[in-house]
Amino acid sequence: MKPSRSERVRATPPKLFTYVLVGFIALLGLTCLYYGSSFAPGSRKSDEFDGSSRARAGFASNRDGESRVEVPRSIPICDSKHSDLIPCLDRDLHHQLKLRLNLTLMEHYEHHCPPPERRFNCLVPPPAGYKIPIKWPVSRDEVWKANIPHTHLAQEKSDQNWMVVNGDKINFPGGGTHFHYGADKYIVSLAQMLKFPGDKLNNGGSIRNVLDVGCGVASFGAYLLSHDIIAMSLAPNDVHQNQIQFALERGIPSTLGVLGTKRLPYPSRSFELAHCSRCRIDWLQRDGILLLELDRLLRPGGYFVYSSPEAYAHDPENRKIGTAMHDLFRRMCWRVVAKRDQSVIWGKPISNSCYLKRGSGVQPPLCPSGDDPDATWNVSMKACITPYSVRMHKERWSGLVPWPRRLTAPPPRLEEIGVTPEQFREDTETWRHRVMEYWKLLKPMVQNNSIRNVMDMSSNLGGFAAALNDKDVWVMNVIPVQSQPRMKIIYDRGLIGATHDWCEAFDTYPRTFDLIHAWNTFTETQARGCSIEDLLIEMDRILRPEGFVIIRDTSENISYIKKYLTLLKWDKWLTETTPKGDSLSAAKDERVLIARKKLWSVAAISEL
């Protein structure tokens, strides 16, 4: 029999209480699930992290560009043991994921990013006692030991003058494995070997871009700067851990990378000179594929400076290796340009003539016509010779004018990306005005030489970096992977940079850059279905304390980013403005946000 109406009414409260309780528990569970997926450890047990947080790829993937997630109340701090975290070079993670990497081919030093559920989504803390870096140019010769508390290199290389611990500082005498008495003297000796006027290695501006492989703490690149030469100093995060971190702390252009299985993220014909000083590379492996990668990167007539026992030692083992390398170079149509003491300099041909004269079946072969030598992102190296195009045939240095005119002269390869000389000049002029406006906004906060290491996250044609040429800074020009054909223009201007996918972490140490510039980077990253929040946390990882970000994007994105400034501790100082419209302004509602990161410590945060 059905209960009476009054009985049903009397029965409602306990049922209502039950429903409310169940609903509250469900809501609590969903809340925990949301914040757990964003910040808490992922699929692994928390004791595997020692208090660190790994999370999925983003707080939310905004693939439709229509909705925003609620801004969290806080962003956790990573465990202090991760103060040097490089997410896509995390060998502990490689081991835990059981990646099958070929150690002989150096795959374990290459770019392998964590899957979404294993990403860190926390702020990387500085080491205990961290200080604001010493200003350039003093930093070339000394850094704070507390900022990179790793002194084993000083002990290991004590007889080679790499670095010396001196109280609370680490000094860099300018030595190297091959040039114990100083890179400056070594550079002069190379210029003398090549018979360049005035013993200047830049040879009147024709030598501008150098690739230094196995660079150590980058003293070679440091002393090239006074010759108006900029080197991409390259080394892996190997047994000499932190060598590139020391280089970056010194304010020297450098990056993490390895000649392994993938092409380096630079286009063909990017460098006038490559350098290996006891770089411990087996150049003969896999049919000479690593030398063929250098061949791809060198401009017509480029040089390879090789200072290593194989070049001069007379014991049977080194003579055998030296003879085999000589034979390989001969088949690649390279020739010995100069040889003295412990160094030999090889030269790359300026035309295809020698290649065409080789006999049938001579190895290495020419690359097939369908191969794009400028495609680099996640592209495997190829054991073949990249022939010159008809336009580049017999054009030494790819037809580029000497530095510094090279910076503003339209390069020949502009037509390959569909840009006219007039558009190039307009871009250069537009960025000159933009940078002037940026500096007016920054002027109250920037001290002399307080900015040295700069990153441009979406470099386009390199106009931002070109506009900074009168300042004592260097710029890592990043071309997003969707625009990678434009990277060749960066190098043709005498600048340096790398192709990168901003849906992933950049392969550099935390606290690398004093200034990060992001023009439309958030709009472009969002359009590819990646997270704004992830990108902000990655920017924080590579930004130095008291460093600046300049974000130029839509007003909607700027408004959203501003909600994160306090969470990121980017609120030491900030300013926002509506910029003047110009030829590059894609959005009518464009805004510029400049913010400064605080210097903070785990100890100070814990006391709050």
Side-chain angles (χ1 to χ4, degrees):
M1 185 175 72
K2 292 182 179 180
S4 66
R5 185 174 183 274
S6 61
E7 289 174 328
R8 290 199 302 268
V9 170
R10 284 196 299 270
T12 299
K15 289 186 177 180
L16 179 61
F17 175 80
T18 301
Y19 295 152
V20 170
L21 180 61
V22 171
F24 175 77
I25 293 172
L27 179 61
L28 182 63
L30 289 172
T31 302
C32 292
L33 178 63
Y34 168 70
Y35 283 103
S37 67
S38 294
F39 294 123
S43 57
R44 293 184 285 180
K45 296 179 181 178
S46 60
D47 60 0
E48 293 178 51
F49 297 89
D50 284 340
S52 304
S53 295
R54 281 191 192 270
R56 65 186 183 82
F59 296 61
S61 292
N62 191 7
R63 294 186 178 277
D64 300 326
E66 295 176 354
S67 60
R68 303 267 192 203
V69 298
E70 183 179 350
V71 176
R73 294 182 178 179
S74 64
I75 300 176
I77 308 299
C78 301
D79 191 284
S80 294
K81 71 176 184 178
H82 296 301
S83 64
D84 289 340
L85 174 69
I86 310 167
C88 298
L89 297 176
D90 184 353
R91 287 198 293 281
D92 288 338
L93 180 63
H94 298 168
H95 176 72
Q96 292 158 4
L97 294 176
K98 299 181 180 179
L99 299 183
R100 295 185 177 182
L101 303 176
N102 190 319
L103 305 188
T104 303
L105 303 184
M106 303 296 178
E107 280 189 301
H108 54 307
Y109 296 138
E110 293 185 320
H111 184 84
H112 302 285
C113 293
E117 69 276 8
R118 304 294 280 272
R119 273 194 181 184
F120 283 91
N121 265 340
C122 49
L123 303 183
V124 175
Y130 181 89
K131 301 180 181 181
I132 298 303
I134 295 171
K135 296 178 182 179
W136 181 267
V138 177
S139 63
R140 187 195 72 173
D141 301 325
E142 62 180 35
V143 302
W144 296 117
K145 183 174 68 174
N147 291 7
I148 312 177
H150 307 286
T151 59
H152 62 281
L153 266 181
Q155 300 165 358
E156 182 182 343
K157 302 292 184 179
S158 59
D159 62 330
Q160 299 170 11
N161 282 329
W162 276 37
M163 49 192 280
V164 178
V165 178
N166 183 13
D168 61 353
K169 293 179 181 177
I170 296 176
N171 298 119
F172 300 88
T177 304
H178 183 74
F179 40 89
H180 301 180
Y181 301 107
D184 50 349
K185 298 180 179 63
Y186 174 64
I187 290 167
V188 169
S189 73
L190 297 180
Q192 291 172 343
M193 289 175 66
L194 291 167
K195 299 180 180 179
F196 286 165
D199 298 338
K200 296 292 186 182
L201 192 59
N202 70 356
N203 193 27
S206 63
I207 305 292
R208 168 62 181 173
N209 293 0
V210 167
L211 177 66
D212 186 17
V213 294
C215 65
V217 294
S219 289
F220 181 67
Y223 285 84
L224 284 175
L225 292 169
S226 62
H227 292 255
D228 271 342
I229 296 174
I230 188 165
M232 180 62 87
S233 297
L234 180 80
N237 187 21
D238 60 7
V239 293
H240 294 149
Q241 278 187 341
N242 306 98
Q243 54 189 336
I244 290 297
Q245 191 176 20
F246 282 116
L248 292 166
E249 185 76 9
R250 297 172 69 188
I252 301 168
S254 47
T255 191
L256 287 162
V258 67
L259 285 165
T261 67
K262 303 294 185 182
R263 283 178 172 174
L264 294 177
Y266 321 125
S268 66
R269 306 194 305 273
S270 291
F271 302 95
E272 286 84 33
L273 188 147
H275 175 254
C276 159
S277 172
R278 298 200 184 186
C279 55
R280 301 167 57 191
I281 293 174
D282 177 7
W283 296 107
L284 295 173
Q285 63 174 285
R286 293 174 285 158
D287 301 317
I289 195 169
L290 304 184
L291 274 176
L292 291 164
E293 174 66 356
L294 287 191
D295 182 86
R296 181 184 72 86
L297 294 171
L298 281 175
R299 302 196 198 274
Y303 300 109
F304 176 45
V305 177
Y306 188 53
S307 299
S308 190
E310 296 89 350
Y312 61 84
H314 297 291
D315 62 279
E317 181 63 24
N318 280 313
R319 283 178 65 89
K320 180 181 178 181
I321 296 173
T323 299
M325 288 186 65
H326 184 89
D327 179 62
L328 175 59
F329 279 128
R330 179 184 57 81
R331 288 183 278 116
M332 290 171 58
C333 294
W334 289 25
R335 64 184 180 87
V336 175
V337 176
K339 187 173 183 179
R340 180 192 296 176
D341 300 328
Q342 299 181 359
S343 299
V344 60
I345 302 177
W346 296 84
K348 180 181 174 179
I350 64 171
S351 74
N352 292 330
S353 300
C354 174
Y355 305 145
L356 301 176
K357 293 176 182 178
R358 298 188 313 163
S360 176
V362 173
Q363 298 294 318
L366 296 181
C367 296
S369 58
D371 177 64
D372 181 2
D374 298 327
T376 61
W377 186 251
N378 203 28
V379 175
S380 296
M381 291 182 188
K382 296 176 173 61
C384 58
I385 299 170
T386 303
Y388 299 125
S389 65
V390 174
R391 181 176 179 82
M392 289 296 108
H393 191 66
K394 296 185 178 180
E395 282 280 353
R396 191 177 187 85
W397 314 130
S398 300
L400 299 172
V401 299
W403 177 267
R405 286 193 292 132
R406 185 178 299 183
L407 183 65
T408 54
R413 290 199 280 186
L414 275 177
E415 63 178 280
E416 295 180 20
I417 62 169
V419 174
T420 67
E422 291 72 25
Q423 290 171 326
F424 175 84
R425 294 187 185 96
E426 183 179 28
D427 181 271
T428 300
E429 185 64 14
T430 298
W431 277 109
R432 188 179 70 84
H433 286 289
R434 284 187 171 192
V435 169
M436 286 175 58
E437 293 302 314
Y438 290 163
W439 239 250
K440 287 179 183 177
L441 296 171
L442 282 167
K443 190 174 181 180
M445 302 303 299
V446 175
Q447 300 175 356
N448 289 337
N449 298 323
S450 60
I451 294 178
R452 172 61 182 170
N453 299 355
V454 178
M455 172 181 274
D456 188 9
M457 297 176 70
S458 301
S459 296
N460 193 31
L461 301 176
F464 174 78
L468 290 173
N469 189 53
D470 62 341
K471 305 186 186 306
D472 208 356
V473 303
W474 70 274
V475 181
M476 175 65 78
N477 292 278
V478 179
I479 295 291
V481 65
Q482 64 269 24
S483 303
Q484 67 174 321
R486 295 188 170 229
M487 180 53 74
K488 67 187 75 172
I489 306 305
I490 301 296
Y491 279 89
D492 287 355
R493 300 185 77 162
L495 304 170
I496 60 171
T499 301
H500 183 63
D501 183 350
W502 281 119
C503 294
E504 301 176 356
F506 191 84
D507 287 344
T508 193
Y509 285 91
R511 304 170 300 280
T512 288
F513 297 102
D514 303 295
L515 171 65
I516 300 177
H517 176 244
W519 171 51
N520 286 341
T521 310
F522 289 90
T523 292
E524 293 172 358
T525 302
Q526 230 185 334
R528 299 186 61 235
C530 300
S531 164
I532 282 183
E533 295 82 2
D534 279 349
L535 187 55
L536 286 168
I537 290 177
E538 172 60 7
M539 289 172 67
D540 179 77
R541 184 184 71 86
I542 64 178
L543 181 66
R544 285 176 168 174
E546 299 207 353
F548 297 88
V549 293
I550 303 176
I551 302 174
R552 191 182 191 113
D553 217 299
T554 64
S555 60
E556 180 185 6
N557 279 343
I558 294 295
S559 296
Y560 187 63
I561 290 166
K562 284 168 61 179
K563 297 177 182 179
Y564 282 86
L565 296 184
T566 300
L567 304 182
L568 293 164
K569 302 170 181 44
W570 290 5
D571 54 353
K572 178 167 183 175
W573 173 83
L574 63 94
T575 186
E576 183 183 358
T577 186
T578 300
K580 298 176 182 177
D582 54 42
S583 60
L584 298 177
S585 299
K588 294 181 180 179
D589 61 343
E590 194 174 49
R591 299 283 289 171
V592 172
L593 173 68
I594 303 179
R596 190 174 195 182
K597 179 178 176 178
K598 289 179 178 176
L599 170 60
W600 58 272
S601 68
V602 173
I605 295 293
S606 301
E607 292 174 0
L608 296 178

